[in-house]
Amino acid sequence: MIIVSQGKREIINFDNINLIGTDGEGAIRARLGVEDNVHLGAYATEERAKEVLKEITIIYADKNEYIDNSNGAAIYEMPEN
């Protein structure tokens, strides 16, 4: 699955992510390596960030249902809000 960051500046292959989570203040970050972190998006509340993480989990668990292109890869675009 591919994740497009909120600012549309990064495209991340979910298979390369070691950890994805919130910072406790509404931002979502992905860890790709020991010191390689990517900011995926920021939300007004921690609760909204948790909702977005849940959406990512649902799509990843059933990615065949969310295929959005001709090469068979599921794409998740981080929501603006």
Side-chain angles (χ1 to χ4, degrees), residues 2-18:
I2 301 297
I3 298 176
V4 180
S5 69
Q6 191 177 49
K8 313 293 187 252
R9 293 187 184 118
E10 292 88 17
I11 298 172
I12 299 96
N13 182 333
F14 194 84
D15 293 337
N16 294 332
I17 295 174
N18 293 324

Side-chain angles (χ1 to χ4, degrees), residues 3-81:
I3 298 176
V4 180
S5 69
Q6 191 177 49
K8 313 293 187 252
R9 293 187 184 118
E10 292 88 17
I11 298 172
I12 299 96
N13 182 333
F14 194 84
D15 293 337
N16 294 332
I17 295 174
N18 293 324
L19 173 78
I20 185 171
T22 68
D23 66 354
E25 297 181 10
I28 297 177
R29 299 188 66 77
R31 182 181 301 156
L32 305 174
V34 175
E35 293 187 28
D36 189 9
N37 294 297
V38 176
H39 175 83
L40 296 177
Y43 301 93
T45 66
E46 178 69 6
E47 286 306 311
R48 177 61 181 139
K50 289 178 183 179
E51 289 172 0
V52 172
L53 282 177
K54 186 174 181 178
E55 289 173 11
I56 292 169
T57 302
I58 290 167
I59 291 171
Y60 184 74
D62 197 11
K63 55 188 165 191
N64 290 333
E65 205 169 303
Y66 294 92
I67 292 173
D68 193 27
N69 59 32
S70 61
N71 72 0
I75 297 173
Y76 181 79
E77 292 193 23
M78 298 295 288
E80 291 298 318
N81 300 320

